[in-house]
C-alpha cells in the first residue's frame, strides 16, 4: 500500500483543511503521512490570531482542526520556521508533496503622506495585538484620543471598528489578549469612523457581519440613509442585482434606519471617501479625505475634501504575502496554476488565491488542490522527512505539546469565566508545551 509523505507549511485554516482533504482521500491503496509545519509555537493561524474575540462562534472550527490533528498519520511541528530552521528546497527533497498554506500576513500600504506617523497602525499589527500574537504584543497603541478612523470597507475594518467602538466590558468574557483588554478599558475613544473609498454597493463587508451591528448594546451605528438610497438607484439602473449585494445593501439600509439608542459610543460607516493625507505633529491628528462620486458605474475623485480630527488611524486595506526565497509572488499570490506551483510544490489558502474568502472557503479550495496533488503523485519517496532536516536540540512543539499549552490556557480562563487566557510570551509558550 503506497504511503506518501506530505508537508503542509502553515497551521492555519487552509493548512488544516488541506490535511483534512488528504485524510478524506485515503483509501486501502493510498495513505498519507502528513507533517504540518508552523513557525509559531501554537497552531490555528487566523482562528487564534485573526478572528475577533467577540466572535467566538467562528472559533469553534478549531474543534474540527483538533479532530484532524488527532487522526493517524498527522504530526504537528510547531516552533519550526521555514526559511530559517528548514528550507523549502530540502522539504521538497524529503516529501512527495510540499503544500504552502502560509496565508498573507503583511499589511498593505496606503502610500500616502502621514502613514508613518505614530498611531497610524495597520490591521496586520492591530488585529494580532488584540489577539495575543507573540510577535505583536508590544505594538504601541494609544487609545487616549476620542475619535478613531478605520480605513477600508471589508470585514477586517469592521472587526477593528467594532473592537474600538464597543464597551470593553463586553470583552470581559472573551479570549482577548489581557494587555489589549486593559488598554481598551482605559480607552477614551467614543467615535469610530470607517471610511470606504467606493460606494455602499462596492463594499466588501458581508451581510451577516453587517446584520450584527445594530445588535451592539452600547454603540450606535450610523450609515447615511441618503447614501444607501443613491446606491440603490445606481444598482437598479444596472439591471438584475446579485443576491449577495442585495443582502448587503438590505443590511446597510436596516442599519441606516435603525433606531439609535442615544449612547455615547458611535460607529459610523462612510463611503466614497479616499484618504488623501494623514496629518499631525509626530502623531496622527487628522485625516483628509477626497470625496468621490460614482459616474457611469466608475468611482471618480472630485476636487472636494473633508477632514476628520482623529488621534488613531487603523488601515484595514488587505494583505500581502511574506516572501520566501525562491518562491515567485504574482498579483498578491504565490504564482500557481490551480494550486500547483511547480513539480511537487503546491499552495492553498490566501497564499494561493490572495487574501480573500472566509475560513470555510478553504475547504473546497483545498480539496481541489489535493485532487491535483494526488493526480501528480509518483513513486513514494524513501526519506525520513523533517526530522532529517532539523538541527539536533531544536525544540519542536508537537501535538502533545500544543495540547499542554491549550489545556493550560483553558484552565486559566475557566478560573475567571473566559474561554481561555492566551499566553503571549513566546518563551513561556514553549515552556508550557514542554511541561
Ligand atoms: P477585503 O475584504 O478585501 O477589504 C479590503 C478593503 O480595503 C476594501 O474595501 C478595499 O476597497 C479597501 N482598500 C484597499 N486598498 C485601499 C486603499 N488604498 N485605500 C482605501 N481603501 C482601500 O479585505 P479584508 O477586510 O482584509 O478581509 C480579508 C478577507 O477575510 C475577506 O474575504 C473577508 O471577508 C475575510 N474576513 C472575514 C471575517 C468574517 O467572516 N467575520 C472577518 C474578517 C475577515 P476596494 O474594494 O475599493 O478595493
Amino acid at each position: 500500500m503506497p504511503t506518501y509523505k506530505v508537508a503542509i507549511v502553515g497551521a492555519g485554516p487552509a493548512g488544516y483543511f488541506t490535511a483534512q482533504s488528504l485524510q478524506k482521500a485515503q483509501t486501502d491503496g493510498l495513505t498519507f503521512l502528513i507533517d504540518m509545519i508552523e513557525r509559531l509555537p501554537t497552531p490555528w493561524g487566523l482562528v487564534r490570531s485573526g478572528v475577533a474575540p467577540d466572535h467566538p462562534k467562528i472559533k469553534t472550527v478549531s474543534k474540527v482542526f483538533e479532530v484532524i490533528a488527532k487522526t493517524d498519520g498527522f504530526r504537528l511541528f510547531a516552533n519550526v520556521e521555514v526559511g530559517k530552521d528548514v528550507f523549502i528546497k530540502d522539504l521538497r527533497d524529503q516529501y512527495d508533496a510540499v503544500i504552502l498554506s502560509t496565508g498573507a500576513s503583511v499589511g498593505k500600504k496606503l502610500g500616502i503622506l502621514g502613514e508613518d506617523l505614530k498611531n497610524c497602525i495597520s490591521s496586520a499589527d492591530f488585529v494580532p495585538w488584540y489577539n495575543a500574537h507573540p510577535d505583536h504584543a508590544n505594538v504601541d497603541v494609544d487609545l487616549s484620543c476620542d475619535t478613531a478612523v478605520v480605513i477600508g470597507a471589508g470585514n477586517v475594518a469592521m472587526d477593528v471598528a467594532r473592537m474600538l467602538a464597543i464597551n470593553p466590558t463586553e470583552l470581559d468574557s472573551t479570549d482577548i489578549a489581557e494587555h489589549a483588554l486593559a488598554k481598551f478599558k482605559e480607552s477614551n475613544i467614543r467615535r469610530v469612523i470607517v471610511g470606504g473609498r467606493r460606494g455602499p454597493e462596492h463594499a466588501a463587508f458581508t451581510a451577516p457581519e453587517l446584520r450584527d451591528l445594530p445588535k451592539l448594546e452600547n454603540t450606535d451605528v450610523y450609515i447615511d440613509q441618503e447614501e444607501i438610497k443613491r446606491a440603490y438607484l445606481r444598482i437598479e439602473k444596472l439591471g438584475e442585482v446579485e443576491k449577495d449585494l442585495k443582502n448587503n445593501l438590505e443590511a446597510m439600509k436596516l442599519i441606516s434606519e435603525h433606531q439609535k439608542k442615544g449612547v455615547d459610543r458611535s460607529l459610523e460607516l462612510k463611503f466614497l471617501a479616499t484618504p488623501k493625507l494623514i496629518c499631525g505633529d509626530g502623531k496622527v491628528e487628522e485625516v483628509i479625505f477626497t470625496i468621490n462620486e460614482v459616474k457611469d458605474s466608475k468611482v471618480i475623485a472630485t476636487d472636494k475634501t473633508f477632514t476628520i480630527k482623529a488621534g488613531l488611524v487603523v488601515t484595514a486595506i488587505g494583505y500581502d504575502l511574506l516572501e520566501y526565497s525562491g518562491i515567485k509572488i504574482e498579483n498578491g499570490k504565490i504564482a500557481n496554476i490551480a494550486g500547483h506551483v511547480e513539480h511537487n510544490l503546491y499552495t492553498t489558502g490566501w497564499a494561493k488565491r490572495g487574501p480573500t474568502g472566509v475560513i470555510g472557503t478553504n475547504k473546497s479550495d483545498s480539496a481541489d488542490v489535493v485532487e491535483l496533488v494526488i493526480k501528480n503523485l509518483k513513486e513514494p519517496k524513501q526519506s525520513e522527512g523533517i526530522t532529517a532536516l532539523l538541527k539536533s536540540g531544536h525544540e519542536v512543539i508537537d501535538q502533545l505539546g500544543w495540547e499542554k499549552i491549550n489545556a493550560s490556557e483553558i484552565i486559566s480562563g475557566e478560573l475567571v469565566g473566559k474561554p481561555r487566557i492566551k499566553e503571549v510570551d513566546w518563551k513561556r509558550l514553549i515552556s508550557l508545551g514542554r511541561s
Side-chain angles (χ1 to χ4, degrees), residues 103-153:
S105 56
V106 182
K108 280 204 166 118
K109 291 291 234 179
L110 281 171
I112 61 170
L113 273 178
E115 195 175 11
D116 296 329
L117 285 171
K118 190 167 161 359
N119 234 26
C120 178
I121 305 171
S122 164
S123 59
D125 290 319
F126 193 74
V127 172
W129 168 74
Y130 64 60
N131 275 326
H133 188 299
D135 288 346
H136 298 269
N138 297 322
V139 175
D140 191 7
V141 178
D142 180 353
L143 306 178
S144 62
C145 53
D146 57 9
T147 303
V149 165
V150 181
I151 294 169

Side-chain angles (χ1 to χ4, degrees), residues 58-77:
I58 299 180
K59 297 179 195 231
T60 56
V61 70
S62 56
K63 293 203 175 96
V64 177
F65 299 166
E66 287 306 274
V67 172
I68 296 164
K70 287 191 166 112
T71 301
D72 279 352
F74 180 101
R75 299 190 299 178
L76 176 68
F77 289 84

